[in-house]
Amino acid sequence: MSRGRKISLWIVAVVLALIAIVLILIATFDWNRLKPTINARVSETIQRPFEIRGDLGVDWGRDREAGGWRAWVPMPYIHAEDVHLGNPEGFDGEMASLERVEASLAPLSLLHREIRVPKVSLTRPSADLVRHADGAANWVFDLGEQQDEQQEEGSGWSFRLDEVAFDQGTARFRDAILDSDFNIAIDPLGQPVPYEEIAGAQANGEGEEAPQAQPGAFIFGWKAEGRYKGEPLEGEGRIGGMLSMDDPDRPFPLQADVRSGTTRVRLNGILFQPMTFGGLDLDLRFEGQSLGNLDTLTGLVLPNTPPYATDGHLYVRFNQPGGAVFEYRDFNGKIGDSDIHGSVTYTLSTPRPKLVGELTSNQLRFADLAPLIGADSNQDKEARGGTTRQPEGKVLPVENFDTAAWATMDADVRFSASRIEHGESLPLTDLSTHLRLEGGELLMDPLRFGVAGGQLNTTLRLEGQREPMRGRIDAHARGMQLQQLMPNAGTLQESLGRLDGDATLNGSGNSVASLLATSNGELSMLLSDGQISRNLMELAGLNVGNWMVGQLFGDEQEHINCAAANIGIAQGVAEPRVLVFDTDNAVINVTGQVNFATEGLNLDIHPESKGFRIFTLRSPLYVHGTFANPSPGVAATPLILRGAAALVLGTVAAPVAALGALISPSAGEENQCAPVIESIRAQGQ
């Protein structure tokens, strides 16, 4: 054997001997001697107490789950028992403890300057998570200086953790900001439960943006109990048994059934990229007494409603540049007796989160909309979690809008309802609107209703950032049919005629009642080419004899040449400038006031008969009282002179100009109001 070969063999033998010696030293070394150093170094790094109180050691073994030759490479398994993590200054007690932690180390990764830990196993973890009212939280670690030093050193080493496994454990969450204090307990299920058995095929990552890998089985069950945002909290569910740190193709399974106050949430699906909290892909169902209560649970600003239930698919992306994005897709649900469908996206953007979506309803019950304007419906308001009720004898809604909540979220939502269930007294057919909320200001433009065979097009603006709130509404009614508009008015059931109108109102206040009580504006209406019950007109004109004949020999229809109104509104008091009915047999003029602040009525009705009547009382009528309890009667004053109605019309010619814009041909014929308005205008000259 040559001398060179002998030297080479000796070198190899020495290297192998050194490796053997190192392995023997590692295997026989008492690692507990390093505990004081490790405890001190870790405590200094994380700036809080850290202590390994139990045994610290290293065992060697093969990773039998690894494929190929890697399964034969021995790797060290480091274990530590009775591990405790304390709290930073300002917090009492400990943050976390472990009965045992075990971590494997891949030795070959050290060759390319990477510390790779394939798996960490946690035995009986326990945590106490606390956040104070000033925002300080014990789960926040300030490692900035240490990280900066490491970056400056430029060591070139990297760290990688692949999986975290755990078994039964407990956690307590206390948050003064959220007014929350609840406990969570995690226990093994006994045997794994296949994911499909609990979640079904709808939530196994088959979404277009979701991971395609099959989630693992459910390994643990969990239960929660306590208080969340001041409301009682209880829940239960199942989770998987292992978190994949950096593999998005290994999603973590979730299942939950949680009740908080009057709200219940049920979900099943996956958490993908779990250790970086990449996102969620869930089937989600939630229900409760009012959508307004979700503000407590989720932070969403939604209106108070009757009881609701909805189910759909929730897809969440947490780590987005503009803020976490929550998409609730293709959901179906009910609010009261109304159905609702659509998709919405909620983004945790700055300076405010934003809700964007498009919603539809096939059948919308109008009573379910009442809480949106602060009105009581037939539903018990207390069952929805509210306390304010409409006072006895008050018609205008007094419930305050929650304008403070408007400033916490922006919104851009379109909504349409193809059919509105309204009962016989409210002839609405459909609805569409575009709602925008920004910086506390609410705009609904358009807010469009199908009403009585026509359209009511409205623009509504509520400036909720002001105190008190300011509101403005511009409304335009076109083509409404009198017969459909008043279906329960008895003698109006056979009435015809087209109603058009414009209205502009602005006011200040935090409820519908207070807005109207301070309102200023104008209302104009025209009823043209109409037909109405003669008996009703005979009663209005106090033509008692003709009314008796009509009752004996049957009712006839009275042709309406024109019904015109121009009403000025100042500081909540509406006063007719023009309010006149012109028929073939009578002219009726209405004067007086309507007070929205007191809901008081003070109207006088001046009839003037045309032609021969068997017996006529040309005396004014009146309507006094309130909106809730009107009191009609005959004025105890001298009989008015013939022609008095025409005299009154002559004094209000100026406001008639506002009615000209409402004149429109009907079925190609000339509008019947045109000559009447011209006559009024001529009398005023």
Side-chain angles (χ1 to χ4, degrees):
M1 179 181 297
S2 67
R3 184 178 179 182
R5 178 172 293 184
K6 289 181 180 180
I7 293 174
S8 298
L9 289 175
W10 273 105
I11 293 174
V12 171
V14 170
V15 170
L16 292 176
L18 290 173
I19 293 175
I21 293 171
V22 170
L23 293 177
I24 292 171
L25 289 174
I26 292 175
T28 60
F29 182 74
D30 184 4
W31 294 93
N32 289 297
R33 296 180 181 180
L34 297 179
K35 285 197 302 183
T37 303
I38 294 173
N39 291 342
R41 181 57 177 166
V42 174
S43 297
E44 179 185 355
T45 302
I46 64 177
Q47 299 181 13
R48 64 182 68 193
F50 174 83
E51 185 179 7
I52 302 173
R53 298 177 183 174
D55 183 54
L56 174 64
V58 177
D59 300 316
W60 288 82
R62 292 186 294 135
D63 184 4
R64 301 182 182 277
E65 296 180 1
W69 59 270
R70 291 181 176 85
W72 295 93
V73 177
M75 66 171 57
Y77 288 84
I78 305 170
H79 69 267
E81 297 179 353
D82 198 13
V83 181
H84 294 260
L85 177 63
N87 275 317
E89 292 185 6
F91 295 84
D92 297 328
E94 293 184 338
M95 176 184 170
S97 64
L98 292 166
E99 186 176 291
R100 178 184 172 93
V101 57
E102 182 177 295
S104 58
L105 180 65
L108 296 180
S109 64
L110 300 175
L111 299 177
H112 48 85
R113 305 172 71 86
E114 178 186 58
I115 301 174
R116 176 172 171 259
V117 179
K119 184 177 181 180
V120 170
S121 299
L122 309 177
T123 302
R124 295 187 181 276
S126 176
D128 187 4
L129 306 178
V130 182
R131 183 165 65 169
H132 292 163
D134 61 1
N138 70 341
W139 61 79
V140 177
F141 291 80
D142 185 7
L143 304 178
E145 294 182 1
Q146 287 80 2
Q147 291 176 345
D148 292 341
E149 292 175 358
Q150 292 173 2
Q151 291 176 357
E152 291 177 1
E153 292 173 0
S155 64
W157 284 83
S158 61
F159 176 79
R160 173 182 169 185
L161 174 60
D162 292 346
E163 296 176 350
V164 176
F166 53 90
D167 65 2
Q168 65 186 106
T170 60
R172 184 180 182 186
F173 181 81
R174 292 178 288 167
D175 192 324
I177 296 177
L178 296 178
D179 187 20
S180 302
D181 185 351
F182 58 87
N183 294 287
I184 299 177
I186 301 174
D187 289 295
L189 293 175
Q191 61 181 13
V193 178
Y195 176 78
E196 298 83 358
E197 185 175 322
I198 302 297
Q202 296 300 317
N204 62 356
E206 294 180 355
E208 59 182 71
E209 298 175 80
Q212 298 299 313
Q214 182 71 14
F218 290 101
I219 304 298
F220 297 99
W222 62 268
K223 290 186 177 181
E225 187 175 9
R227 187 184 75 254
Y228 181 73
K229 289 193 174 182
E231 297 283 353
L233 172 73
E234 61 177 351
E236 60 183 5
R238 299 174 176 87
I239 57 175
M242 185 173 297
L243 294 170
S244 176
M245 296 293 287
D246 61 354
D247 186 358
D249 293 331
R250 297 188 63 185
F252 185 75
L254 301 170
Q255 186 264 334
D257 186 347
V258 179
R259 295 175 177 85
S260 177
T262 61
T263 303
R264 182 181 184 184
V265 179
R266 285 174 283 180
L267 60 88
N268 55 71
I270 60 170
L271 169 65
F272 55 90
Q273 296 177 340
M275 296 312 296
T276 59
F277 228 59
L280 295 166
D281 190 4
L282 307 171
D283 280 340
L284 175 66
R285 175 180 176 84
F286 57 96
E287 57 192 81
Q289 291 298 319
S290 171
L291 283 173
N293 295 339
L294 286 177
D295 180 24
T296 301
L297 189 63
T298 66
L300 283 170
V301 180
L302 298 173
N304 287 323
T305 65
Y308 69 91
T310 180
D311 64 88
H313 193 78
L314 178 67
Y315 190 81
V316 184
R317 292 163 289 169
F318 290 107
N319 303 316
Q320 298 300 301
V325 178
F326 299 76
E327 296 181 63
Y328 193 38
R329 303 171 175 173
D330 303 323
F331 66 83
N332 299 286
K334 296 194 71 176
I335 300 176
D337 293 325
S338 306
D339 68 280
I340 188 167
H341 318 272
S343 297
V344 295
T345 299
Y346 182 67
T347 305
L348 290 175
S349 54
T350 55
R352 292 173 299 276
K354 186 171 185 178
L355 180 70
V356 178
E358 188 161 344
L359 310 176
T360 62
S361 177
N362 296 321
Q363 177 167 302
L364 180 66
R365 184 170 176 262
F366 191 78
D368 296 332
L369 289 177
L372 304 185
I373 59 170
D376 282 319
S377 67
N378 292 332
Q379 301 286 344
D380 185 358
K381 198 169 192 304
E382 292 181 355
R384 300 194 303 267
T387 57
T388 303
R389 294 192 61 81
Q390 189 73 6
E392 189 70 26
K394 283 284 188 178
V395 173
L396 299 177
V398 301
E399 178 77 5
N400 284 344
F401 295 96
D402 188 8
T403 55
W406 295 1
T408 63
M409 185 184 81
D410 293 343
D412 189 334
V413 178
R414 297 180 184 272
F415 176 73
S416 63
S418 56
R419 180 176 180 270
I420 298 180
E421 180 185 333
H422 47 71
E424 298 180 356
S425 61
L426 196 61
L428 300 176
T429 55
D430 57 87
L431 163 67
S432 64
T433 187
H434 183 189
L435 181 149
R436 280 166 284 186
L437 177 64
E438 185 172 359
E441 182 172 313
L442 176 68
L443 174 65
M444 300 180 77
D445 182 22
L447 174 57
R448 183 177 297 117
F449 291 92
V451 185
Q455 286 284 327
L456 176 62
N457 296 304
T458 304
T459 297
L460 174 66
R461 185 184 299 274
L462 299 175
E463 300 176 40
Q465 77 276 25
R466 297 178 178 268
E467 183 56 42
M469 180 179 70
R470 294 184 184 179
R472 178 183 175 89
I473 185 170
D474 294 285
H476 307 278
R478 294 295 183 268
M480 295 183 186
Q481 303 303 309
L482 183 63
Q483 184 181 36
Q484 299 179 39
L485 193 62
M486 305 179 70
N488 291 335
T491 52
L492 287 176
Q493 288 182 356
E494 298 181 4
S495 302
L496 302 174
R498 167 179 170 142
L499 179 67
D500 299 280
D502 290 327
T504 299
L505 288 175
N506 62 80
S508 60
N510 293 328
S511 68
V512 172
S514 57
L515 283 169
L516 289 174
T518 60
S519 61
N520 298 282
E522 185 177 44
L523 171 65
S524 299
M525 291 189 298
L526 282 183
L527 175 64
S528 60
D529 196 25
Q531 184 172 292
I532 198 169
S533 165
R534 177 176 292 179
N535 275 357
L536 183 64
M537 298 306 297
E538 296 287 2
L539 285 174
L542 290 184
N543 299 307
V544 180
N546 282 36
W547 177 76
M548 293 179 62
V549 171
Q551 289 294 93
L552 290 172
F553 300 103
D555 189 15
E556 298 181 19
Q557 297 298 308
E558 182 81 9
H559 181 261
I560 300 175
N561 298 317
C562 178
N566 179 263
I567 300 172
I569 303 172
Q571 293 301 309
V573 177
E575 187 169 354
R577 300 163 180 162
V578 174
L579 183 48
V580 61
F581 286 84
D582 184 281
T583 75
D584 289 342
N585 295 295
V587 176
I588 298 175
N589 186 63
V590 180
T591 60
Q593 292 181 339
V594 175
N595 192 317
F596 290 111
T598 62
E599 298 193 6
L601 298 170
N602 185 20
L603 298 174
D604 295 316
I605 303 170
H606 304 273
E608 173 64 22
S609 300
K610 295 180 180 180
F612 175 74
R613 290 291 181 270
I614 298 175
F615 181 69
T616 301
L617 289 175
R618 289 184 296 275
S619 183
L621 303 175
Y622 67 79
V623 180
H624 296 166
T626 65
F627 294 177
N629 297 293
S631 177
V634 180
T637 59
L639 299 181
I640 63 173
L641 297 175
R642 186 177 298 275
L647 180 62
V648 173
L649 291 179
T651 65
V652 292
V656 171
L659 299 171
L662 299 179
I663 298 175
S664 59
S666 177
E669 299 179 359
E670 183 180 358
N671 191 291
Q672 298 296 315
C673 277
V676 175
I677 292 177
E678 286 300 321
S679 175
I680 296 174
R681 183 180 290 114
Q683 294 181 52
Q685 294 176 349

